[in-house]
Amino acid sequence: MSPEALRETARHMVETVPQASALGFKLLSVEPGRGSILTPWREDLVGDPDTGVIAGGVVTALLDHVCGLAIISTARDGTTPFSTATLDLRIDYMRAAAPRADVTASAHCYKLTRSIAFVRAHAYDADPEDPIATAQAAFILKRGAA
Amino acid sequence: MSEAAERLEAFLARVPYVRFLGMRAELAGDEMTATLPFAPHLVGNVMMPALHGGVIGAFMEMTALAQLSVIAQSPKVHKTIDITIEYLRPGRALTTYARADVRKVGRQVANVHVEAWQDTRDKPVAALRGHFLLKAHAGGAARP
């Protein structure tokens, strides 16, 4: 897939899927096997009003979505398009996001078999080396469905 | 309203993200059932349509936190340490329900399992298990 086509597919996935759009996701980057998404901070996404920190559930949705993005980005010209569904997702929370901080997540699809994709992702606010959360996931690939 | 019901109401009212999801929860005696009515903005796959996997995960995580707010007698929101989510069946465009089973409450950490289902309790759509850090509170230990 050309970089432009990949970017367009990724933008569609990140910005038009209803939940992604409702959470305000923005595509930051995509390349084969990797992608990253920004979630701007918003008042209605807060988990603890005492701290103004984005809710853990938003980070869960963000990590799940960026994993899906990394998988979709592995599609190559001439291969059957596929859709994916999450099988298993584990998230470790290292620390809360900073108050009123935007959250970014990056994912790497590091292994694809015929039917399963394995992905690692992490979420951070200011510094990618100081993550809010790390995730590991397995997704099923349903080939032949767009 | 019982104290437990008041704590649950307070939790649901405090957390803006609960309103974003449209999540509700009710106590029947000491059993809590959380409800997530279907709404278009919760969709992850428009073709099926199916609920976004992250929404189901978030709903179960919030269910665990709501259950802890009822039993752990702290007005503060507890912190998630880790969660593992299993996706069993697609979440369709229906109401989703969830129940939390608090497996263990220690001095600092609680272990909670959650199951989510739609039209059939014995065909769950997803399950979660997680560890949560219990926030310090004024007076009284968490009930085991």
Side-chain angles (χ1 to χ4, degrees):
Chain A
M1 209 187 276
S2 71
E4 297 79 31
L6 177 56
R7 190 142 187 120
E8 216 17 68
T9 302
R11 188 184 311 283
H12 192 263
M13 186 211 173
V14 171
E15 293 172 13
T16 69
V17 164
Q19 170 67 187
S21 160
L23 287 170
F25 288 173
K26 298 279 177 285
L27 175 69
L28 280 182
S29 69
V30 65
E31 58 188 89
R34 292 177 190 266
S36 65
I37 298 174
L38 169 73
T39 312
W41 185 91
R42 239 172 47 202
E43 189 105 47
D44 62 330
L45 302 181
V46 162
D48 186 345
D50 284 347
T51 61
V53 168
I54 271 190
V58 175
V59 178
T60 300
L62 173 60
L63 287 165
D64 181 62
H65 209 75
V66 76
C67 286
L69 172 62
I71 296 168
I72 296 292
S73 75
T74 64
R76 290 203 286 273
D77 286 340
T79 61
T80 317
F82 54 78
S83 69
T84 78
T86 324
L87 286 173
D88 196 275
L89 172 64
R90 183 196 165 89
I91 303 173
D92 289 307
Y93 283 90
M94 266 104 250
R95 61 174 182 81
R100 308 183 74 93
D102 300 343
V103 178
T104 301
S106 299
H108 176 207
C109 175
Y110 60 93
K111 180 71 183 177
L112 272 181
T113 71
R114 276 192 52 209
S115 44
I116 306 289
F118 296 95
V119 191
R120 281 189 206 100
H122 69 296
Y124 54 94
D125 44 34
D127 178 4
E129 302 297 311
D130 180 22
I132 294 163
T134 61
Q136 191 135 329
F139 282 66
I140 190 160
L141 302 178
K142 295 182 268 187
R143 294 190 187 276
Chain B
M1 199 187 268
S2 70
E3 271 186 32
E6 278 174 7
R7 281 197 293 274
L8 179 58
E9 284 294 307
F11 173 84
L12 296 173
R14 270 174 71 79
V15 180
Y17 181 65
V18 163
R19 283 194 291 287
F20 172 85
L21 283 178
M23 169 180 166
R24 301 196 300 258
E26 274 173 9
L27 274 177
D30 61 355
E31 283 204 340
M32 188 194 83
T33 304
T35 305
L36 183 71
F38 175 75
H41 75 286
L42 302 178
V43 165
N45 181 327
V46 176
M47 303 290 281
M48 292 182 69
L51 294 175
H52 192 279
V55 164
I56 297 172
F59 172 53
M60 292 191 295
E61 184 182 353
M62 298 312 294
T63 300
L65 289 167
Q67 182 73 70
L68 287 174
S69 79
V70 169
I71 66 157
Q73 301 188 55
S74 166
K76 288 184 173 282
V77 178
H78 305 294
K79 260 172 110 165
T80 308
I81 299 169
D82 62 68
I83 51 176
T84 299
I85 304 162
E86 302 180 307
Y87 292 91
L88 299 164
R89 297 175 175 81
R92 287 160 295 147
L94 298 173
T95 299
T96 308
Y97 303 95
R99 280 259 184 101
D101 174 14
V102 179
R103 309 283 289 157
K104 162 106 194 260
V105 176
R107 278 182 40 235
Q108 295 174 278
V109 175
N111 177 310
V112 186
H113 289 196
V114 179
E115 224 172 47
W117 71 97
Q118 295 187 314
D119 47 10
T120 317
R121 178 84 199 261
D122 66 6
K123 292 189 159 72
V125 299
L128 170 149
R129 63 180 193 279
H131 293 91
F132 299 85
L133 193 66
L134 299 170
K135 290 280 185 149
H137 48 79
R143 246 184 284 122

